[in-house]
Amino acid sequence: MVFERINASGVGLTIGSIGGSTVRNITFRDCHMHHTYKGIYMKFRDSDQPGVIEDVLYENIVIDQPTQWAIWMGPAQQSDSRSLCAAHPCSICWPTLPGAHCNAPVTGSYRNITLRNVVVNDPKTSPGVLLGNSSNPMRNVVFDGVKINNPGKKPWGDNFYKCEAIQGIATGGTYPVPPCFEDRNQIVV
């Protein structure tokens, strides 16, 4: 499926919440999000069945002044009970409330995810959350020309991203490079 020339806001350009199913061959292209809450948002919910998000391309995306995360790949940040801050699988109170948890589901698989020519202007917080599960890491994640202008430092400081369990590379002038990615910005072929 191809989604093109979209002006979006709210929770942005979202895939999920997935649990026990497969989503593949999705492209978001030539999209703009002005004052959105989240920008690029891919998420898995808790499930006892395996699920897959694969062969996804976000291309030529502009996100202006997101109020939360410009880029989120990982567990669904949601509550489905009366305990609003409970992790289902990631607390909506995380990371601001001490003791709140964010758990990447082991049954959720991410493969072949590319963000190309993505520009984020003046995010209110750190640019993003990239949270895989250590026993099932995200595979082949590519940031090609993902540029964050004036990145916020709260809550991740100079790391800019919460970044765990991802086999990723950054190229094409990506800045800042997520700390768990291989930086190929300077490699000349």
Side-chain angles (χ1 to χ4, degrees):
M1 297 184 99
V2 177
F3 302 90
E4 293 182 302
R5 296 177 298 281
I6 296 171
N7 289 316
S9 65
V11 290
L13 304 174
T14 303
I15 297 175
S17 105
I18 303 301
S21 59
T22 298
V23 175
R24 71 168 50 102
N25 298 325
I26 303 292
T27 297
F28 290 96
R29 182 181 296 129
D30 301 326
C31 299
H32 183 252
M33 289 174 274
H34 184 68
H35 291 280
T36 191
Y37 186 66
K38 281 184 167 87
I40 293 170
Y41 189 22
M42 288 181 273
K43 57 185 177 165
F44 276 99
R45 67 179 181 269
D46 277 331
S47 176
D48 57 355
Q49 299 296 313
V52 177
I53 297 175
E54 66 182 353
D55 303 324
V56 174
L57 171 64
Y58 287 86
E59 184 175 46
N60 303 329
I61 309 293
V62 176
I63 305 169
D64 292 321
Q65 300 175 324
T67 56
Q68 202 198 47
W69 313 109
I71 301 168
W72 178 292
M73 294 171 49
Q77 191 178 32
Q78 64 188 23
S79 178
D80 59 6
S81 73
R82 289 181 171 216
S83 178
L84 293 179
C85 289
H88 295 123
C90 181
S91 170
I92 60 173
C93 302
W94 180 87
T96 56
L97 183 67
H101 298 281
C102 190
N103 307 306
V106 69
T107 58
S109 297
Y110 289 91
R111 296 189 291 255
N112 307 322
I113 310 294
T114 300
L115 279 62
R116 181 179 299 128
N117 300 327
V118 174
V119 176
V120 179
N121 296 308
D122 303 310
K124 303 291 185 205
T125 65
S126 297
V129 173
L130 309 167
L131 191 56
N133 187 292
S134 61
S135 64
N136 185 17
M138 296 181 192
R139 301 185 191 287
N140 194 29
V141 177
V142 177
F143 280 24
D144 180 5
V146 176
K147 297 175 183 168
I148 313 295
N149 296 315
N150 193 27
K153 289 192 173 188
K154 186 178 179 183
W156 313 124
D158 289 335
N159 283 334
F160 296 106
Y161 290 90
K162 176 68 171 176
C163 192
E164 295 178 3
I166 297 179
Q167 297 171 351
I169 64 167
T171 188
T174 290
Y175 173 83
V177 174
C180 64
F181 277 45
E182 178 185 341
D183 185 352
R184 292 191 186 170
N185 281 310
Q186 303 302 318
I187 295 176
V188 177
V189 187

